[in-house]
PDB file of all heavy atoms in Angstrom:
ATOM      1  N   GLU G  12      -6.343  -1.835 -21.798  1.00  0.00           N
ATOM      2  CA  GLU G  12      -7.513  -1.783 -20.925  1.00  0.00           C
ATOM      3  C   GLU G  12      -7.264  -2.544 -19.619  1.00  0.00           C
ATOM      4  O   GLU G  12      -7.634  -2.084 -18.538  1.00  0.00           O
ATOM      5  CB  GLU G  12      -8.746  -2.356 -21.650  1.00  0.00           C
ATOM      6  CG  GLU G  12      -9.186  -1.538 -22.854  1.00  0.00           C
ATOM      7  CD  GLU G  12      -9.392  -0.065 -22.527  1.00  0.00           C
ATOM      8  OE1 GLU G  12     -10.008   0.225 -21.477  1.00  0.00           O
ATOM      9  OE2 GLU G  12      -8.924   0.788 -23.288  1.00  0.00           O
ATOM     10  N   TYR G  13      -6.629  -3.699 -19.727  1.00  0.00           N
ATOM     11  CA  TYR G  13      -6.261  -4.474 -18.537  1.00  0.00           C
ATOM     12  C   TYR G  13      -5.329  -3.647 -17.661  1.00  0.00           C
ATOM     13  O   TYR G  13      -5.481  -3.579 -16.437  1.00  0.00           O
ATOM     14  CB  TYR G  13      -5.589  -5.771 -18.987  1.00  0.00           C
ATOM     15  CG  TYR G  13      -4.874  -6.532 -17.897  1.00  0.00           C
ATOM     16  CD1 TYR G  13      -5.552  -7.449 -17.104  1.00  0.00           C
ATOM     17  CD2 TYR G  13      -3.507  -6.338 -17.661  1.00  0.00           C
ATOM     18  CE1 TYR G  13      -4.897  -8.163 -16.109  1.00  0.00           C
ATOM     19  CE2 TYR G  13      -2.850  -7.041 -16.670  1.00  0.00           C
ATOM     20  CZ  TYR G  13      -3.542  -7.952 -15.898  1.00  0.00           C
ATOM     21  OH  TYR G  13      -2.885  -8.644 -14.914  1.00  0.00           O
ATOM     22  N   ASN G  14      -4.359  -3.013 -18.307  1.00  0.00           N
ATOM     23  CA  ASN G  14      -3.381  -2.187 -17.607  1.00  0.00           C
ATOM     24  C   ASN G  14      -4.049  -1.032 -16.860  1.00  0.00           C
ATOM     25  O   ASN G  14      -3.703  -0.724 -15.715  1.00  0.00           O
ATOM     26  CB  ASN G  14      -2.368  -1.635 -18.621  1.00  0.00           C
ATOM     27  CG  ASN G  14      -1.042  -1.291 -17.981  1.00  0.00           C
ATOM     28  OD1 ASN G  14      -0.987  -0.965 -16.806  1.00  0.00           O
ATOM     29  ND2 ASN G  14       0.014  -1.346 -18.761  1.00  0.00           N
ATOM     30  N   LYS G  15      -5.024  -0.408 -17.497  1.00  0.00           N
ATOM     31  CA  LYS G  15      -5.724   0.726 -16.884  1.00  0.00           C
ATOM     32  C   LYS G  15      -6.498   0.296 -15.637  1.00  0.00           C
ATOM     33  O   LYS G  15      -6.483   0.999 -14.618  1.00  0.00           O
ATOM     34  CB  LYS G  15      -6.693   1.371 -17.894  1.00  0.00           C
ATOM     35  CG  LYS G  15      -6.015   2.168 -18.990  1.00  0.00           C
ATOM     36  CD  LYS G  15      -7.050   2.735 -19.954  1.00  0.00           C
ATOM     37  CE  LYS G  15      -6.394   3.362 -21.167  1.00  0.00           C
ATOM     38  NZ  LYS G  15      -7.392   3.870 -22.136  1.00  0.00           N
ATOM     39  N   VAL G  16      -7.170  -0.836 -15.735  1.00  0.00           N
ATOM     40  CA  VAL G  16      -7.979  -1.322 -14.605  1.00  0.00           C
ATOM     41  C   VAL G  16      -7.094  -1.604 -13.399  1.00  0.00           C
ATOM     42  O   VAL G  16      -7.377  -1.164 -12.278  1.00  0.00           O
ATOM     43  CB  VAL G  16      -8.778  -2.584 -15.000  1.00  0.00           C
ATOM     44  CG1 VAL G  16      -9.436  -3.201 -13.774  1.00  0.00           C
ATOM     45  CG2 VAL G  16      -9.839  -2.228 -16.043  1.00  0.00           C
ATOM     46  N   VAL G  17      -5.981  -2.338 -13.618  1.00  0.00           N
ATOM     47  CA  VAL G  17      -5.086  -2.670 -12.513  1.00  0.00           C
ATOM     48  C   VAL G  17      -4.431  -1.411 -11.957  1.00  0.00           C
ATOM     49  O   VAL G  17      -4.256  -1.271 -10.740  1.00  0.00           O
ATOM     50  CB  VAL G  17      -4.023  -3.699 -12.952  1.00  0.00           C
ATOM     51  CG1 VAL G  17      -3.108  -4.049 -11.790  1.00  0.00           C
ATOM     52  CG2 VAL G  17      -4.686  -4.956 -13.484  1.00  0.00           C
ATOM     53  N   SER G  18      -4.074  -0.472 -12.831  1.00  0.00           N
ATOM     54  CA  SER G  18      -3.473   0.790 -12.385  1.00  0.00           C
ATOM     55  C   SER G  18      -4.448   1.592 -11.533  1.00  0.00           C
ATOM     56  O   SER G  18      -4.042   2.251 -10.566  1.00  0.00           O
ATOM     57  CB  SER G  18      -3.034   1.629 -13.590  1.00  0.00           C
ATOM     58  OG  SER G  18      -2.017   0.972 -14.314  1.00  0.00           O
ATOM     59  N   LEU G  19      -5.738   1.548 -11.874  1.00  0.00           N
ATOM     60  CA  LEU G  19      -6.760   2.220 -11.056  1.00  0.00           C
ATOM     61  C   LEU G  19      -6.841   1.602  -9.665  1.00  0.00           C
ATOM     62  O   LEU G  19      -6.999   2.313  -8.666  1.00  0.00           O
ATOM     63  CB  LEU G  19      -8.122   2.154 -11.739  1.00  0.00           C
ATOM     64  CG  LEU G  19      -8.381   3.140 -12.880  1.00  0.00           C
ATOM     65  CD1 LEU G  19      -9.712   2.840 -13.550  1.00  0.00           C
ATOM     66  CD2 LEU G  19      -8.366   4.579 -12.372  1.00  0.00           C
ATOM     67  N   LEU G  20      -6.732   0.277  -9.604  1.00  0.00           N
ATOM     68  CA  LEU G  20      -6.766  -0.397  -8.303  1.00  0.00           C
ATOM     69  C   LEU G  20      -5.597   0.064  -7.432  1.00  0.00           C
ATOM     70  O   LEU G  20      -5.750   0.299  -6.236  1.00  0.00           O
ATOM     71  CB  LEU G  20      -6.704  -1.920  -8.491  1.00  0.00           C
ATOM     72  CG  LEU G  20      -7.919  -2.588  -9.150  1.00  0.00           C
ATOM     73  CD1 LEU G  20      -7.656  -4.074  -9.340  1.00  0.00           C
ATOM     74  CD2 LEU G  20      -9.172  -2.385  -8.309  1.00  0.00           C
ATOM     75  N   ILE G  21      -4.405   0.199  -8.050  1.00  0.00           N
ATOM     76  CA  ILE G  21      -3.197   0.573  -7.300  1.00  0.00           C
ATOM     77  C   ILE G  21      -3.219   2.036  -6.898  1.00  0.00           C
ATOM     78  O   ILE G  21      -2.922   2.386  -5.745  1.00  0.00           O
ATOM     79  CB  ILE G  21      -1.933   0.278  -8.133  1.00  0.00           C
ATOM     80  CG1 ILE G  21      -1.800  -1.220  -8.377  1.00  0.00           C
ATOM     81  CG2 ILE G  21      -0.683   0.819  -7.439  1.00  0.00           C
ATOM     82  CD1 ILE G  21      -0.719  -1.579  -9.380  1.00  0.00           C
ATOM     83  N   SER G  22      -3.573   2.918  -7.838  1.00  0.00           N
ATOM     84  CA  SER G  22      -3.422   4.356  -7.598  1.00  0.00           C
ATOM     85  C   SER G  22      -4.659   5.034  -7.030  1.00  0.00           C
ATOM     86  O   SER G  22      -4.561   6.148  -6.506  1.00  0.00           O
ATOM     87  CB  SER G  22      -3.028   5.058  -8.904  1.00  0.00           C
ATOM     88  OG  SER G  22      -4.019   4.864  -9.900  1.00  0.00           O
ATOM     89  N   VAL G  23      -5.822   4.389  -7.118  1.00  0.00           N
ATOM     90  CA  VAL G  23      -7.064   5.013  -6.632  1.00  0.00           C
ATOM     91  C   VAL G  23      -7.698   4.196  -5.505  1.00  0.00           C
ATOM     92  O   VAL G  23      -7.940   4.716  -4.409  1.00  0.00           O
ATOM     93  CB  VAL G  23      -8.085   5.191  -7.787  1.00  0.00           C
ATOM     94  CG1 VAL G  23      -9.383   5.799  -7.260  1.00  0.00           C
ATOM     95  CG2 VAL G  23      -7.510   6.088  -8.876  1.00  0.00           C
ATOM     96  N   LEU G  24      -7.966   2.920  -5.764  1.00  0.00           N
ATOM     97  CA  LEU G  24      -8.746   2.133  -4.797  1.00  0.00           C
ATOM     98  C   LEU G  24      -7.951   1.792  -3.530  1.00  0.00           C
ATOM     99  O   LEU G  24      -8.462   1.964  -2.422  1.00  0.00           O
ATOM    100  CB  LEU G  24      -9.251   0.850  -5.468  1.00  0.00           C
ATOM    101  CG  LEU G  24     -10.218   0.008  -4.619  1.00  0.00           C
ATOM    102  CD1 LEU G  24     -11.468   0.804  -4.284  1.00  0.00           C
ATOM    103  CD2 LEU G  24     -10.587  -1.279  -5.334  1.00  0.00           C
ATOM    104  N   THR G  25      -6.721   1.300  -3.687  1.00  0.00           N
ATOM    105  CA  THR G  25      -5.936   0.902  -2.510  1.00  0.00           C
ATOM    106  C   THR G  25      -5.670   2.072  -1.566  1.00  0.00           C
ATOM    107  O   THR G  25      -5.875   1.936  -0.350  1.00  0.00           O
ATOM    108  CB  THR G  25      -4.610   0.245  -2.946  1.00  0.00           C
ATOM    109  OG1 THR G  25      -4.896  -0.852  -3.818  1.00  0.00           O
ATOM    110  CG2 THR G  25      -3.846  -0.276  -1.740  1.00  0.00           C
ATOM    111  N   PRO G  26      -5.206   3.250  -2.063  1.00  0.00           N
ATOM    112  CA  PRO G  26      -5.037   4.389  -1.146  1.00  0.00           C
ATOM    113  C   PRO G  26      -6.341   4.834  -0.501  1.00  0.00           C
ATOM    114  O   PRO G  26      -6.349   5.281   0.659  1.00  0.00           O
ATOM    115  CB  PRO G  26      -4.478   5.495  -2.060  1.00  0.00           C
ATOM    116  CG  PRO G  26      -3.839   4.772  -3.188  1.00  0.00           C
ATOM    117  CD  PRO G  26      -4.697   3.563  -3.410  1.00  0.00           C
ATOM    118  N   PHE G  27      -7.461   4.682  -1.234  1.00  0.00           N
ATOM    119  CA  PHE G  27      -8.773   5.036  -0.694  1.00  0.00           C
ATOM    120  C   PHE G  27      -9.157   4.111   0.455  1.00  0.00           C
ATOM    121  O   PHE G  27      -9.727   4.552   1.472  1.00  0.00           O
ATOM    122  CB  PHE G  27      -9.822   4.958  -1.818  1.00  0.00           C
ATOM    123  CG  PHE G  27     -11.242   5.107  -1.359  1.00  0.00           C
ATOM    124  CD1 PHE G  27     -11.773   6.359  -1.080  1.00  0.00           C
ATOM    125  CD2 PHE G  27     -12.059   3.993  -1.215  1.00  0.00           C
ATOM    126  CE1 PHE G  27     -13.101   6.495  -0.652  1.00  0.00           C
ATOM    127  CE2 PHE G  27     -13.372   4.115  -0.799  1.00  0.00           C
ATOM    128  CZ  PHE G  27     -13.892   5.375  -0.518  1.00  0.00           C
ATOM    129  N   LEU G  28      -8.856   2.815   0.316  1.00  0.00           N
ATOM    130  CA  LEU G  28      -9.239   1.834   1.335  1.00  0.00           C
ATOM    131  C   LEU G  28      -8.340   1.869   2.568  1.00  0.00           C
ATOM    132  O   LEU G  28      -8.765   1.439   3.649  1.00  0.00           O
ATOM    133  CB  LEU G  28      -9.214   0.427   0.732  1.00  0.00           C
ATOM    134  CG  LEU G  28     -10.271   0.104  -0.321  1.00  0.00           C
ATOM    135  CD1 LEU G  28     -10.029  -1.285  -0.897  1.00  0.00           C
ATOM    136  CD2 LEU G  28     -11.672   0.207   0.253  1.00  0.00           C
ATOM    137  N   ASN G  29      -7.116   2.355   2.415  1.00  0.00           N
ATOM    138  CA  ASN G  29      -6.142   2.325   3.511  1.00  0.00           C
ATOM    139  C   ASN G  29      -6.671   2.877   4.834  1.00  0.00           C
ATOM    140  O   ASN G  29      -6.581   2.196   5.862  1.00  0.00           O
ATOM    141  CB  ASN G  29      -4.870   3.077   3.099  1.00  0.00           C
ATOM    142  CG  ASN G  29      -3.831   3.098   4.200  1.00  0.00           C
ATOM    143  OD1 ASN G  29      -3.429   2.072   4.714  1.00  0.00           O
ATOM    144  ND2 ASN G  29      -3.403   4.295   4.585  1.00  0.00           N
ATOM    145  N   PRO G  30      -7.277   4.082   4.881  1.00  0.00           N
ATOM    146  CA  PRO G  30      -7.779   4.593   6.165  1.00  0.00           C
ATOM    147  C   PRO G  30      -8.866   3.712   6.774  1.00  0.00           C
ATOM    148  O   PRO G  30      -8.922   3.557   8.000  1.00  0.00           O
ATOM    149  CB  PRO G  30      -8.335   5.982   5.800  1.00  0.00           C
ATOM    150  CG  PRO G  30      -7.677   6.350   4.523  1.00  0.00           C
ATOM    151  CD  PRO G  30      -7.474   5.066   3.799  1.00  0.00           C
ATOM    152  N   PHE G  31      -9.723   3.134   5.924  1.00  0.00           N
ATOM    153  CA  PHE G  31     -10.813   2.297   6.437  1.00  0.00           C
ATOM    154  C   PHE G  31     -10.276   0.970   6.968  1.00  0.00           C
ATOM    155  O   PHE G  31     -10.730   0.477   8.006  1.00  0.00           O
ATOM    156  CB  PHE G  31     -11.842   2.046   5.332  1.00  0.00           C
ATOM    157  CG  PHE G  31     -12.473   3.305   4.803  1.00  0.00           C
ATOM    158  CD1 PHE G  31     -12.063   3.848   3.599  1.00  0.00           C
ATOM    159  CD2 PHE G  31     -13.453   3.965   5.530  1.00  0.00           C
ATOM    160  CE1 PHE G  31     -12.627   5.016   3.109  1.00  0.00           C
ATOM    161  CE2 PHE G  31     -14.030   5.133   5.052  1.00  0.00           C
ATOM    162  CZ  PHE G  31     -13.612   5.664   3.849  1.00  0.00           C
ATOM    163  N   ILE G  32      -9.302   0.389   6.258  1.00  0.00           N
ATOM    164  CA  ILE G  32      -8.725  -0.893   6.694  1.00  0.00           C
ATOM    165  C   ILE G  32      -8.059  -0.746   8.056  1.00  0.00           C
ATOM    166  O   ILE G  32      -8.220  -1.581   8.942  1.00  0.00           O
ATOM    167  CB  ILE G  32      -7.709  -1.407   5.654  1.00  0.00           C
ATOM    168  CG1 ILE G  32      -8.428  -1.809   4.356  1.00  0.00           C
ATOM    169  CG2 ILE G  32      -6.923  -2.600   6.202  1.00  0.00           C
ATOM    170  CD1 ILE G  32      -7.492  -2.128   3.203  1.00  0.00           C
ATOM    171  N   PHE G  33      -7.320   0.357   8.236  1.00  0.00           N
ATOM    172  CA  PHE G  33      -6.528   0.510   9.460  1.00  0.00           C
ATOM    173  C   PHE G  33      -7.280   1.214  10.590  1.00  0.00           C
ATOM    174  O   PHE G  33      -6.754   1.299  11.701  1.00  0.00           O
ATOM    175  CB  PHE G  33      -5.235   1.266   9.158  1.00  0.00           C
ATOM    176  CG  PHE G  33      -4.194   0.400   8.502  1.00  0.00           C
ATOM    177  CD1 PHE G  33      -4.006   0.430   7.125  1.00  0.00           C
ATOM    178  CD2 PHE G  33      -3.415  -0.467   9.248  1.00  0.00           C
ATOM    179  CE1 PHE G  33      -3.062  -0.369   6.506  1.00  0.00           C
ATOM    180  CE2 PHE G  33      -2.461  -1.274   8.644  1.00  0.00           C
ATOM    181  CZ  PHE G  33      -2.296  -1.226   7.274  1.00  0.00           C
ATOM    182  N   THR G  34      -8.475   1.732  10.340  1.00  0.00           N
ATOM    183  CA  THR G  34      -9.240   2.364  11.421  1.00  0.00           C
ATOM    184  C   THR G  34     -10.426   1.521  11.868  1.00  0.00           C
ATOM    185  O   THR G  34     -10.658   1.347  13.063  1.00  0.00           O
ATOM    186  CB  THR G  34      -9.745   3.769  11.012  1.00  0.00           C
ATOM    187  OG1 THR G  34     -10.522   3.664   9.808  1.00  0.00           O
ATOM    188  CG2 THR G  34      -8.591   4.719  10.786  1.00  0.00           C
ATOM    189  N   LEU G  35     -11.177   0.972  10.906  1.00  0.00           N
ATOM    190  CA  LEU G  35     -12.386   0.226  11.255  1.00  0.00           C
ATOM    191  C   LEU G  35     -12.066  -1.064  12.000  1.00  0.00           C
ATOM    192  O   LEU G  35     -12.899  -1.561  12.766  1.00  0.00           O
ATOM    193  CB  LEU G  35     -13.197  -0.083   9.988  1.00  0.00           C
ATOM    194  CG  LEU G  35     -13.764   1.131   9.243  1.00  0.00           C
ATOM    195  CD1 LEU G  35     -14.530   0.682   8.005  1.00  0.00           C
ATOM    196  CD2 LEU G  35     -14.665   1.958  10.149  1.00  0.00           C
ATOM    197  N   ARG G  36     -10.867  -1.610  11.805  1.00  0.00           N
ATOM    198  CA  ARG G  36     -10.499  -2.868  12.457  1.00  0.00           C
ATOM    199  C   ARG G  36      -9.530  -2.661  13.616  1.00  0.00           C
ATOM    200  O   ARG G  36      -8.969  -3.620  14.140  1.00  0.00           O
ATOM    201  CB  ARG G  36      -9.876  -3.836  11.435  1.00  0.00           C
ATOM    202  CG  ARG G  36     -10.818  -4.252  10.320  1.00  0.00           C
ATOM    203  CD  ARG G  36     -10.197  -5.382   9.522  1.00  0.00           C
ATOM    204  NE  ARG G  36      -9.958  -6.548  10.361  1.00  0.00           N
ATOM    205  CZ  ARG G  36     -10.851  -7.481  10.616  1.00  0.00           C
ATOM    206  NH1 ARG G  36     -12.069  -7.396  10.116  1.00  0.00           N
ATOM    207  NH2 ARG G  36     -10.555  -8.509  11.399  1.00  0.00           N
ATOM    208  N   ASN G  37      -9.315  -1.403  14.005  1.00  0.00           N
ATOM    209  CA  ASN G  37      -8.325  -1.124  15.044  1.00  0.00           C
ATOM    210  C   ASN G  37      -8.961  -0.263  16.134  1.00  0.00           C
ATOM    211  O   ASN G  37      -9.260   0.898  15.927  1.00  0.00           O
ATOM    212  CB  ASN G  37      -7.122  -0.410  14.423  1.00  0.00           C
ATOM    213  CG  ASN G  37      -5.939  -0.350  15.364  1.00  0.00           C
ATOM    214  OD1 ASN G  37      -6.049   0.162  16.477  1.00  0.00           O
ATOM    215  ND2 ASN G  37      -4.800  -0.856  14.921  1.00  0.00           N
ATOM    216  N   ASP G  38      -9.155  -0.859  17.310  1.00  0.00           N
ATOM    217  CA  ASP G  38      -9.827  -0.157  18.404  1.00  0.00           C
ATOM    218  C   ASP G  38      -9.023   1.038  18.900  1.00  0.00           C
ATOM    219  O   ASP G  38      -9.595   2.070  19.266  1.00  0.00           O
ATOM    220  CB  ASP G  38     -10.088  -1.124  19.571  1.00  0.00           C
ATOM    221  CG  ASP G  38     -11.119  -2.185  19.206  1.00  0.00           C
ATOM    222  OD1 ASP G  38     -11.976  -1.890  18.351  1.00  0.00           O
ATOM    223  OD2 ASP G  38     -11.052  -3.301  19.755  1.00  0.00           O
ATOM    224  N   LYS G  39      -7.699   0.909  18.941  1.00  0.00           N
ATOM    225  CA  LYS G  39      -6.869   2.013  19.418  1.00  0.00           C
ATOM    226  C   LYS G  39      -6.974   3.233  18.515  1.00  0.00           C
ATOM    227  O   LYS G  39      -7.054   4.370  18.992  1.00  0.00           O
ATOM    228  CB  LYS G  39      -5.399   1.570  19.515  1.00  0.00           C
ATOM    229  CG  LYS G  39      -5.031   0.891  20.819  1.00  0.00           C
ATOM    230  CD  LYS G  39      -3.522   0.754  20.927  1.00  0.00           C
ATOM    231  CE  LYS G  39      -3.140   0.171  22.288  1.00  0.00           C
ATOM    232  NZ  LYS G  39      -1.675   0.058  22.434  1.00  0.00           N
ATOM    233  N   VAL G  40      -6.967   2.999  17.206  1.00  0.00           N
ATOM    234  CA  VAL G  40      -7.076   4.111  16.253  1.00  0.00           C
ATOM    235  C   VAL G  40      -8.449   4.759  16.361  1.00  0.00           C
ATOM    236  O   VAL G  40      -8.569   5.985  16.350  1.00  0.00           O
ATOM    237  CB  VAL G  40      -6.810   3.624  14.809  1.00  0.00           C
ATOM    238  CG1 VAL G  40      -7.060   4.746  13.813  1.00  0.00           C
ATOM    239  CG2 VAL G  40      -5.376   3.118  14.672  1.00  0.00           C
ATOM    240  N   LYS G  41      -9.498   3.933  16.487  1.00  0.00           N
ATOM    241  CA  LYS G  41     -10.856   4.480  16.629  1.00  0.00           C
ATOM    242  C   LYS G  41     -10.976   5.316  17.901  1.00  0.00           C
ATOM    243  O   LYS G  41     -11.580   6.388  17.905  1.00  0.00           O
ATOM    244  CB  LYS G  41     -11.883   3.352  16.616  1.00  0.00           C
ATOM    245  CG  LYS G  41     -12.101   2.743  15.243  1.00  0.00           C
ATOM    246  CD  LYS G  41     -13.280   1.793  15.218  1.00  0.00           C
ATOM    247  CE  LYS G  41     -12.951   0.465  15.836  1.00  0.00           C
ATOM    248  NZ  LYS G  41     -14.026  -0.534  15.657  1.00  0.00           N
ATOM    249  N   GLU G  42     -10.387   4.810  18.997  1.00  0.00           N
ATOM    250  CA  GLU G  42     -10.443   5.554  20.258  1.00  0.00           C
ATOM    251  C   GLU G  42      -9.658   6.856  20.154  1.00  0.00           C
ATOM    252  O   GLU G  42     -10.115   7.908  20.630  1.00  0.00           O
ATOM    253  CB  GLU G  42      -9.863   4.687  21.382  1.00  0.00           C
ATOM    254  CG  GLU G  42     -10.027   5.301  22.768  1.00  0.00           C
ATOM    255  CD  GLU G  42      -9.455   4.410  23.859  1.00  0.00           C
ATOM    256  OE1 GLU G  42      -9.235   3.205  23.610  1.00  0.00           O
ATOM    257  OE2 GLU G  42      -9.213   4.930  24.956  1.00  0.00           O
TER     258      GLU G  42
END
């Protein structure tokens, strides 16, 4: 169960957050 939770963070949550992390905090990308 521990393994599944951490694997979800790596394979689902982190790739999902990547566009938001690098666009919402970057004026050049937003422009």
Side-chain angles (χ1 to χ4, degrees):
E12 295 307 316
Y13 167 87
N14 204 332
K15 287 179 188 178
V16 171
V17 181
S18 296
L19 281 174
L20 292 176
I21 296 170
S22 60
V23 178
L24 187 61
T25 304
F27 172 79
L28 292 175
N29 179 55
F31 300 102
I32 292 171
F33 282 99
T34 56
L35 295 179
R36 297 190 61 86
N37 192 303
D38 292 332
K39 274 192 176 181
V40 174
K41 286 189 283 188
E42 187 179 343

